[in-house]
Amino acid sequence: MMKVFIADDESIILEGLKHIIDWPELGFSICGEANNGEDALNNILELNPDLVLLDIRMPKLQGTEIVQLAREHGFKGHFVILSGFSDFKYAQTAIRYGVEFYLTKPIDDEELYRAVNTVKENILKEHMHADTMNQFREKAKYTILRDVLLNTGDVSNIDLGEINLSAAVYQVVIYENYNRDTFNLIYDFADLLKVTNQGNNSFEHIKIHEKDIILLKGAFSLSHFRDFLRHYDKSPQKSSPLDSLFIAYGREVGRVEDIHRSYEDALCLMNRRFFCEQNQHAIGYEQLPGFDDRVYEINARETNEYCKLLCSYIQSYNRRKIADTLFALEKNLYYAKTDISNIKLFLTDIYLQIKENINHIYSTVDIPFPTNSWVINLIDGKYYLYEIIFFFSVQFEMIINAIGNFSRESVLDDIVYYINHNYRDNIKLETIAPLFGYNSSYLGKIFNKKVGESFNSYIDHVRINHSKELLLQKNLKVYEISELVGYKNVDYFHKKFKKYLGESPAEFRKRNNAP
């Protein structure tokens, strides 16, 4: 329904105008009425009717004054002036302000009907034109927005304010289902960010290559987005909105010409979702490696090296080294200069080479390896690197169990290795034993039996041997050497040194002609 407002200072005429025409039949509803010019103007500006029937002579404000002031305040509706005067000057003034009909009283029913019907047709044409223009405007805006994101067009001559793209700061967000097997995810970002997006003032939504893209505009919406991320953190609550979403966001930029950089960040991050941690729902430009950082190259030599290392650790039952190697592999691949499909092929080659080598070495052992085709399909179908690394860990444990490691004494070699590389720390038997799956009392006994001295004595020997090397250097003082080898108290270091070597650190240095 279109809206009509009626204003006349004579109550009889006012009531007559309300009933002289079947307004609903013509598609109008009466939205208000007034009997003086001041009330008429206020109601017109508040109610914004499509049509105003207006008496030209009213208290407080004349009809022509009402038309003039309404136009100055941006009112775009239609006016039909009703007047007891046929003076051409009144009509001329009214027409100058866009009044379409100037009807003299007494009002002829048919004349008024024709005037209102003509206005109705004009209003409908305006609506059709406005709808058409809005469609063209939206299409043009979509094209411009797409060009801005993809950096495929010149926007220097475009009035950004007219298409509501003008802002002090911008940021691009791309989102998709967290579970990639789920479809038709629909979320209103205005609700998620707790912002009002009337007229797309806070953000724009566009799809490019089947990806949902949000362009945040202005400090207000960017601030709410940061609050949104902080609220959910890395692991959102189950059934919360972010629990179903995966979000990648680019850098903040201050110019429309740089929006494509934020989009490229977000797109690159979305394509690198493969490297995310378990339950990670958002990844930002801060986590994007720079071009210079991406220096790791995967090739046949790297494949052979990882295969050799992992085969050796599997055969020596060295689970710690297996875990360290897989961690290093995962870290290197994060900086690989290649795409995800090549990384998956690289990992597949490593596994299949390990399988071939182990089968060759232990040809008489029945190892329950999966088929090559199953492995290839499994790795290719994984969404995340951590899933493939976990598969490797499970498979290597299966191999260790299959080829047999029942003595457990070989783990002492790992403990000795650990001590030799961590002697500077406050190493205690009670803290080391659980790391290697032992009770501290039992580990102390087998360590003494295997190494030939107690755990603490061995650590002292390692520290004293390293201190001897440092004492032969020129620039280090004794108290500095004491701290470097793990003794926080220099007097205690003196005592231990003299116990094992029969002389003080200073005497040792002097005897060996060290400065």
Side-chain angles (χ1 to χ4, degrees):
M1 278 283 193
M2 292 171 283
K3 296 186 294 183
V4 60
F5 183 86
I6 303 173
D8 198 296
D9 63 331
E10 297 184 51
S11 58
I12 295 176
I13 295 177
L14 185 62
E15 286 299 314
L17 290 172
K18 289 163 62 177
H19 298 96
I20 195 172
I21 289 177
D22 188 345
W23 292 106
E25 182 185 4
L26 277 175
F28 286 92
S29 65
I30 299 174
C31 66
E33 59 186 73
N35 57 15
N36 68 71
E38 193 174 273
D39 288 346
L41 177 62
N42 291 335
N43 279 280
I44 289 169
L45 296 179
E46 180 181 349
L47 299 172
N48 193 31
D50 298 281
L51 170 62
V52 177
L53 293 188
L54 184 63
D55 185 15
I56 202 166
R57 295 289 294 271
M58 285 195 299
K60 299 184 179 181
L61 283 175
Q62 298 284 339
T64 51
E65 292 177 307
I66 294 170
V67 175
Q68 178 184 354
L69 291 171
R71 293 299 189 214
E72 289 175 357
H73 281 82
F75 178 66
K76 303 293 184 183
H78 298 255
F79 284 100
V80 172
I81 289 289
L82 310 175
S83 174
F85 302 92
S86 58
D87 192 329
F88 178 70
K89 289 183 179 179
Y90 282 107
Q92 191 177 37
T93 302
I95 291 170
R96 188 164 67 246
Y97 291 112
V99 173
E100 293 179 61
F101 290 93
Y102 187 95
L103 306 180
T104 57
K105 298 177 180 179
I107 303 301
D108 181 77
D109 295 5
E110 291 186 4
E111 185 180 15
L112 178 60
Y113 183 91
R114 286 194 298 271
V116 171
N117 194 54
T118 301
V119 170
K120 169 193 170 181
E121 291 176 356
N122 290 338
I123 291 172
L124 293 176
K125 287 178 183 178
E126 288 173 1
H127 287 176
M128 289 181 62
H129 177 72
D131 289 343
T132 302
M133 291 305 296
N134 284 336
Q135 290 177 14
F136 280 122
R137 189 177 288 107
E138 285 302 312
K139 286 182 180 179
K141 184 175 183 178
Y142 175 86
T143 301
I144 293 168
L145 191 56
R146 195 175 189 278
D147 286 344
V148 165
L149 290 164
L150 299 178
N151 196 29
T152 55
D154 182 10
V155 296
S156 59
N157 296 320
I158 295 173
D159 184 350
L160 298 175
E162 185 178 347
I163 56 174
N164 204 21
L165 280 183
S166 180
V169 63
Y170 308 88
Q171 188 171 28
V172 174
V173 179
I174 303 178
Y175 70 98
E176 64 183 16
N177 289 295
Y178 180 72
N179 184 347
R180 290 178 171 176
D181 296 324
T182 304
F183 300 97
N184 299 324
L185 175 66
I186 300 175
Y187 275 107
D188 186 340
F189 247 75
D191 292 339
L192 292 180
L193 299 185
K194 295 182 173 60
V195 300
T196 300
N197 198 38
Q198 188 174 359
N200 295 329
N201 288 320
S202 296
F203 63 83
E204 302 285 346
H205 176 228
I206 185 174
K207 270 185 176 283
I208 298 179
H209 305 314
E210 300 304 314
K211 293 189 181 297
D212 284 290
I213 299 160
I214 298 294
L215 173 63
L216 299 173
K217 302 180 297 183
F220 179 76
S221 61
L222 267 67
S223 174
H224 275 258
F225 179 64
R226 287 192 293 270
D227 290 342
F228 169 73
L229 292 177
R230 278 195 295 268
H231 178 70
Y232 287 106
D233 201 5
K234 188 178 291 185
S235 298
Q237 296 178 348
K238 293 298 179 185
S239 302
S240 67
L242 191 56
D243 186 42
S244 301
L245 287 175
F246 183 83
I247 293 174
Y249 55 94
R251 74 189 80 174
E252 298 177 11
V253 296
R255 302 189 313 151
V256 170
E257 293 84 354
D258 294 328
I259 289 175
H260 71 95
R261 302 184 189 280
S262 186
Y263 170 70
E264 289 160 6
D265 288 345
L267 185 62
C268 183
L269 287 164
M270 187 61 79
N271 292 334
R272 289 176 63 83
R273 181 177 169 180
F274 177 70
F275 297 102
C276 285
E277 301 172 9
Q278 191 170 5
N279 295 323
Q280 184 176 351
H281 285 68
I283 184 169
Y285 63 96
E286 309 93 340
Q287 297 163 269
L288 188 64
F291 180 79
D292 294 336
D293 296 331
R294 300 181 65 184
V295 295
Y296 183 68
E297 295 185 11
I298 59 176
N299 49 46
R301 183 181 61 79
E302 286 294 301
T303 303
N304 293 333
E305 183 64 23
Y306 274 109
C307 177
K308 179 182 176 182
L309 284 173
L310 290 168
C311 278
S312 298
Y313 297 143
I314 290 170
Q315 292 179 79
S316 63
Y317 318 111
N318 196 329
R319 293 172 174 84
R320 181 176 60 81
K321 278 294 185 179
I322 290 172
D324 288 347
T325 304
L326 289 178
F327 177 78
L329 173 62
E330 193 172 10
K331 184 176 180 180
N332 282 335
L333 290 175
Y334 184 81
Y335 295 100
K337 294 195 296 185
T338 187
D339 56 34
I340 306 304
S341 59
N342 285 332
I343 290 175
K344 289 182 176 181
L345 289 174
F346 174 68
L347 292 167
T348 302
D349 286 343
I350 291 174
Y351 178 86
L352 294 181
Q353 280 194 36
I354 291 172
K355 175 185 174 183
E356 182 180 355
N357 290 351
I358 294 295
N359 270 332
H360 176 73
I361 295 169
Y362 298 93
S363 56
T364 60
V365 178
D366 184 17
I367 304 174
F369 280 113
T371 64
N372 288 2
S373 60
W374 187 89
V375 172
I376 292 169
N377 290 332
L378 175 85
I379 294 177
D380 184 58
K382 290 298 184 184
Y383 292 142
Y384 296 103
L385 177 58
Y386 75 80
E387 296 176 312
I388 301 174
I389 297 298
F390 179 73
F391 167 72
F392 276 24
S393 298
V394 172
Q395 286 291 299
F396 298 160
E397 183 65 24
M398 177 273 294
I399 298 169
I400 288 174
N401 292 330
I403 62 179
N405 175 32
F406 305 107
S407 71
R408 294 296 302 271
E409 289 189 5
S410 61
V411 78
L412 288 175
D413 294 332
D414 288 344
I415 294 173
V416 169
Y417 178 88
Y418 182 91
I419 292 171
N420 288 334
H421 287 80
N422 295 276
Y423 61 89
R424 299 176 185 85
D425 299 330
N426 185 24
I427 300 176
K428 294 180 179 179
L429 186 62
E430 293 78 10
T431 54
I432 280 188
L435 297 177
F436 293 89
Y438 278 90
N439 171 276
S440 59
S441 177
Y442 177 68
L443 178 60
K445 291 177 182 179
I446 63 172
F447 190 94
N448 199 329
K449 181 178 178 181
K450 176 78 174 181
V451 180
E453 61 180 324
S454 71
F455 181 85
N456 290 334
S457 177
Y458 181 80
I459 292 176
D460 282 335
H461 272 124
V462 171
R463 287 172 171 169
I464 296 302
N465 285 336
H466 281 285
S467 71
K468 286 163 60 178
E469 296 173 7
L470 295 173
L471 283 165
L472 298 177
Q473 296 180 14
K474 298 179 179 180
N475 299 325
L476 292 174
K477 300 184 183 301
V478 172
Y479 74 87
E480 292 174 325
I481 294 172
S482 174
E483 286 207 12
L484 286 173
V485 298
Y487 293 114
K488 304 305 179 185
N489 186 306
V490 68
D491 292 333
Y492 187 69
F493 170 55
H494 273 270
K495 182 180 177 180
K496 286 290 183 181
F497 195 92
K498 195 162 187 176
K499 175 184 175 181
Y500 288 105
L501 295 182
E503 59 184 339
S504 68
E507 290 170 340
F508 173 84
R509 174 175 271 177
K510 184 176 181 180
R511 182 170 59 80
N512 287 279
N513 297 321

